[in-house]
Amino acid sequence: MNTISRTQLLGMNCHQLEEYLLQVGQHRYRGRQIYKWIYQKDVNSFYEMSDIPKELRQQLDEISVVSIPRVLKQRVSKDGTRKFLMELDDRKRIETVVIPQGEEREARYSLCISTQVGCPVGCAFCATGTSGYQRSLQSYEMVGQFLSSRRELKRRLKKNDDSLISNVVYMGMGEPFFNYDQVIASVYLLIDPQGINIGQRHITISTSGEVKGIKRLAEENLQVTLAISLHATNDHLRDQLVPLNRKYSLDQLIEAVDYYIKKTNRRVTFEYVMLDDVNISRVHADQLIKMVKPLLANINLIPYNEVEILPFKKPSSTKVWQFYHWLVEGGLNVTIREERGGDIEAACGQLYVKER
Ligand code: SAH
Ligand code: SF4
């Protein structure tokens, strides 16, 4: 039987699965059992769900499906970062990255999820932005990236450890808030203590500045971290670097962030890509201090990861530290993002849409 006519169970929360099981003439509690098999146990088929009666396993196999993205290829960086090329049901392809955290190599990973195939924002410096846009992902395809990556890691590292992935960042391909409902649905699945159980504070969503999404997130009562891709301190420059700025000016963006902070009392991160000779002068530092100091916020500097076909350059480390010190002296909380997976084009902004 082909999968198109079957019901996709991945992406359903526990309640929805219970309802589904009722609908197909079963007991509600079977939904809860199946929920655990799907999100906690990494089984490959209904037949492995050992506490489910045989007839029900067969019935499920006929009427439903749990399809996670297929890992077509993986590349491993010398720093342990892995980039997976994954294929979705409609054969579109995305990239997902897992990055080892901390000292103990291969103990805990951070997962970088894609939210769209390509990205419609088209930032001037980003490989994803220049490789076109195809469609948004469904929540099951985002959670699927998690399950598929965890399965692959367990297999490759020969570790049967369900908590191998401890952090999730929505920083792969795509603008998460252009796909708000599906992204948030996937967050709720990731954080469910009865399911995947990632700590809310271990999740970060990065937006290029979709103001409506920022305001909606403020209403969610979630403890996730919001990151804003700022990258410029005046509208003229930001219009060129992040075209979404032509829709929402910097003033509108900062006002939305201020609203978010007041509403949630949560600290926000401003990401700032460092482009040589473009946005890292003393003047830019002063503008950045003025803009960010009144807010409950950190700055995360990202020295540019060069993309072959784009003209931007990474600044020297002297310039990176100079800019860092200006900001620190100006009273900001600043970190510098360490480049991971650069040798396999898995660093921030290096993910491309891969055509078949
Ligand atoms: N689409 C989301 C997530 C992107 S990836 C967003 O734009 O916020 C996370 C960060 O990497 C963003 O701040 C993004 O602007 C930045 N980035 C994109 N391309 C980059 C590159 N080539 N080098 C360094 N950072 C880059
Ligand atoms: Fe899209 Fe983010 Fe890349 Fe901009 S930086 S093009 S928003 S993926």
Side-chain angles (χ1 to χ4, degrees), residues 37 45 65-66 76 123 231 281 287 291 319 330 356:
W37 282 111
S45 85
V65 66
V66 177
V76 188
C123 297
H231 308 330
S281 71
Q287 288 175 337
M291 188 178 288
K319 288 190 192 173
R356 256 177 297 147

Side-chain angles (χ1 to χ4, degrees), residues 126-339:
C126 171
T128 309
T130 55
S131 59
Y133 168 69
Q134 298 187 7
R135 71 169 171 88
S136 281
L137 299 186
Q138 297 293 311
S139 64
Y140 82 85
E141 295 170 315
M142 291 180 256
V143 174
Q145 291 171 60
F146 178 94
L147 295 177
S148 201
S149 304
R150 181 171 70 184
R151 216 174 273 201
E152 197 59 27
L153 275 178
K154 279 182 177 175
R155 202 165 67 81
R156 292 285 174 138
L157 305 175
K158 300 191 173 57
K159 279 189 186 170
N160 196 16
D161 178 359
D162 293 331
S163 46
L164 267 176
I165 299 174
S166 56
N167 290 62
V168 174
V169 296
Y170 287 79
M171 292 190 186
M173 307 160 84
E175 165 48 53
F177 290 162
F178 282 178
N179 188 16
Y180 186 91
D181 292 329
Q182 295 296 323
V183 165
I184 297 302
S186 74
V187 169
Y188 280 110
L189 287 168
L190 290 176
I191 64 177
D192 183 2
Q194 306 301 319
I196 293 175
N197 195 20
I198 298 283
Q200 293 200 33
R201 290 190 168 80
H202 295 178
I203 295 182
T204 301
I205 304 177
S206 173
T207 176
S208 59
E210 172 51 47
V211 159
K212 273 195 250 138
I214 296 170
K215 290 189 172 161
R216 283 182 75 185
L217 187 67
E219 313 298 331
E220 294 284 347
N221 197 19
L222 281 169
Q223 311 282 308
V224 299
T225 299
L226 173 65
I228 309 285
S229 295
L230 191 60
H231 308 330
T233 51
N234 60 71
D235 282 319
H236 178 68
L237 182 57
R238 198 162 190 275
D239 280 352
Q240 293 165 38
L241 295 179
V242 184
L244 190 59
N245 199 68
R246 296 175 204 156
K247 183 168 176 202
Y248 303 108
S249 68
L250 267 172
D251 279 350
Q252 288 171 289
L253 175 58
I254 296 297
E255 188 226 285
V257 173
D258 189 43
Y259 173 82
Y260 174 89
I261 294 169
K262 290 200 170 112
K263 181 89 195 177
T264 63
N265 205 21
R266 295 193 62 73
R267 186 176 278 274
V268 161
T269 299
F270 284 105
E271 296 155 291
Y272 196 90
V273 64
M274 303 182 73
L275 306 166
D276 198 22
D277 294 329
V278 174
N279 63 351
I280 55 169
S281 71
R282 175 84 231 199
V283 174
H284 295 120
D286 290 340
Q287 288 175 337
L288 194 51
I289 293 163
K290 197 164 160 227
M291 188 178 288
V292 173
K293 206 167 169 191
L295 301 168
L296 182 65
N298 298 326
I299 299 274
N300 187 218
L301 297 174
I302 316 175
Y304 186 56
N305 301 309
E306 292 186 6
V307 175
E308 213 178 309
I309 51 167
L310 298 177
F312 299 97
K313 293 278 169 259
K314 184 192 200 102
S316 68
S317 77
T318 315
K319 288 190 192 173
V320 170
W321 284 106
Q322 173 68 269
F323 195 71
Y324 168 86
H325 285 297
W326 285 331
L327 299 183
V328 171
E329 282 156 21
L332 301 187
N333 280 314
V334 193
T335 50
I336 300 178
R337 189 177 299 181
E338 189 191 344
E339 184 192 304

Side-chain angles (χ1 to χ4, degrees), residues 49-62:
M49 301 182 175
S50 54
D51 56 1
I52 305 292
K54 251 202 183 124
E55 308 75 57
L56 176 52
R57 290 189 232 169
Q58 190 164 354
Q59 181 188 1
L60 287 172
D61 194 48
E62 281 162 14

